[in-house]
Amino acid sequence: MQIDPETALAAFETLKSTLGIIADKAKPKVKEQLLKWKAPDLAEKLQENIRQIGKITTIASREASTIDEIYYPSRIKLGKSGSRVIAFASELVTGNSRVTLIIGTAGQGKSVFLRYLCLRDLDVQGNLPLFVELRKIDENKTLNSLLHEHLVSLGIGEEDPEEVLKALLKSGKAKIFLDGYDEISREYSLRTKAEITRLIRNYDKVNILITSRPGAISQHLGDSFEIHQCEVAPISPNEHDEFFQRIGVPLETKQRLLGAIGRSRAEIKILLSTPLMLTLLVKTCGAQQDLPDTLPEFYDSLFNVLASTHDGTKPGYVRQKATELGNTDLEMLFCAFSFASKELFKKNSLSQRQLEESFTNATRISDVRCSIEGFKTDVTETICLMVRDGLDTAFIHKSIQEYYAARFIHTLEDKEKAREILESIGTGSIFEWSSELQFLEDFKDKSFENVIGIPHAASLLDELCLKKKQRTVSGQKLIRFLRGFDISIGRSKETKEIRTASWSYHHKSSPTNRYYAELMSAIVHEVMSSASKSSRVDSMSDTLEIIKLADLLKSDLRLAQNAVLAVQRYCEKLERRMNAMKDRQIRKSAGLIALLSRPTMSTS
């Protein structure tokens, strides 16, 4: 959002004062360098360098946009007080917690919201914020080294980034904005958690804001320090008009879309609650009178729409593909590439070497051939589902890689290979592929339902319920089940009010299960929302104690009953899903189509 000139001038003067405060915390040599940045021309240059984080490429445009141009105000759920628009990061720092975890689903605008808060910290409050994309963490890059890189890119950390970082964090004039905790490879998440813990313990004036998807490894953070957790609220139907205006949808198209949404099925209306889905709606259905019925249909139409888009500045001109592939072959190759890059590197931003290795494997498993240069040009400039990110190439959104990787499995002609892939996922890396598995369930994929969907649902129901014919959740079975997980509840030692929850989805003794993640989220959400609240105001001397969820439920009958009811509701829904899968399998194994699919008996 635009800043009025008077506020901007005041923030600029405050930034120069901030540089002086930071310099006072630094060693003499670094202090001298920092004080130079108080000069108006250098301070202005520093502002512009920080503002670069506000320039991003989205699926709505082939060109980079600024936060001012595309930001639609996010509403944040804040406990029982409902949701409201947040203008400053300081509004999300509460009580004793100096770490705020901002939870949001895929495409809900977490990254844009975090960038917006970061720039407000600079442009209105005159602070010096630090912004890091956590997906860049790998074997060689740590959180600390990325903070160093950021300071060097701003200019003020070129000579001694470590000393500048120390001075900045001691000053209390810097908040750290960490984007995408769920995008850190699992092997580096504990290392990153330890780095965040050290920052909190070593610098008592620092505040950290972190974004993540729900149910990610970010839930482990709460057992090391107190976290204030909040959620990005979905976009409501009465906001659609304003959102379409914000992203520049023409009046006629906007009216057509609003009418189509009004006529659409409830399933689709529920899906249209994030900036990503609403933007995809404009891209794929802007010229249509009616909408697709399911989420996969949105993505199905997305590729062909983007691959066939006319150049807006040249009427009648269709952009030539660098690969010279037709849409079908290019999509087949892109699906294989999405699968290969996920399997090989478990990340959605690829170095040149990683891109080449993923491409080589994709051409082999799809049997579609073209040059790597042509492929890179088409995916970044023609269909624009990837973007050049410095020296790397990244998917425009994590869910794009997930959808097309799932589509690769779904469309494999060799169904035995599809089964082998799913069996491998089901016994080893099921949580790393949880989004892809959800897409496969949405596809009603036969291999998924046979290998994972039905067996995993039946197994979980048997673990929790007393009888197969009458699925009643057993409280004793639930407690025994929960003891197999690392689920920790953080509560005030003085008031016993529950503050945080952290858990691991990987069961200590049982095989991994596709539905553990959903179940854990349901249980923890119920416990957090139904726990007693204290009327006592937080005190700085309050301490956080950690208790295992199973022990908490055993000692608190009311919470235990609520947890059992939540699990009962979940199990009833899961059984309905399982029965629907079984019915589909029966139908697919009967009838004329199945008859035609059977091998012909030899007459010789």
Side-chain angles (χ1 to χ4, degrees), residues 416-452:
E416 190 56 39
K417 287 291 184 187
R419 286 184 63 91
E420 289 176 9
I421 289 170
L422 290 168
E423 285 169 357
S424 177
I425 290 173
T427 56
S429 52
I430 198 162
F431 299 120
E432 291 176 346
W433 291 85
S434 59
S435 296
E436 288 83 357
L437 294 178
Q438 183 59 58
F439 277 122
L440 287 168
E441 185 166 341
D442 292 340
F443 295 153
K444 300 177 175 59
D445 183 84
K446 182 176 181 179
S447 297
F448 164 81
E449 291 181 346
N450 279 328
V451 175
I452 291 178

Side-chain angles (χ1 to χ4, degrees), residues 282-334:
V282 175
K283 282 284 186 182
T284 58
C285 308
Q288 299 177 16
Q289 294 299 324
D290 296 299
L291 306 185
D293 288 332
T294 64
L295 174 61
E297 288 181 39
F298 272 112
Y299 283 97
D300 280 345
S301 58
L302 176 63
F303 193 96
N304 282 331
V305 169
L306 294 179
S308 305
T309 297
H310 288 62
D311 191 309
T313 63
K314 303 172 185 177
Y317 171 72
V318 179
R319 187 182 296 271
Q320 181 68 37
K321 295 187 183 69
T323 56
E324 299 185 353
L325 293 173
N327 287 358
T328 301
D329 283 345
L330 183 57
E331 183 176 15
M332 191 183 303
L333 180 57
F334 186 72

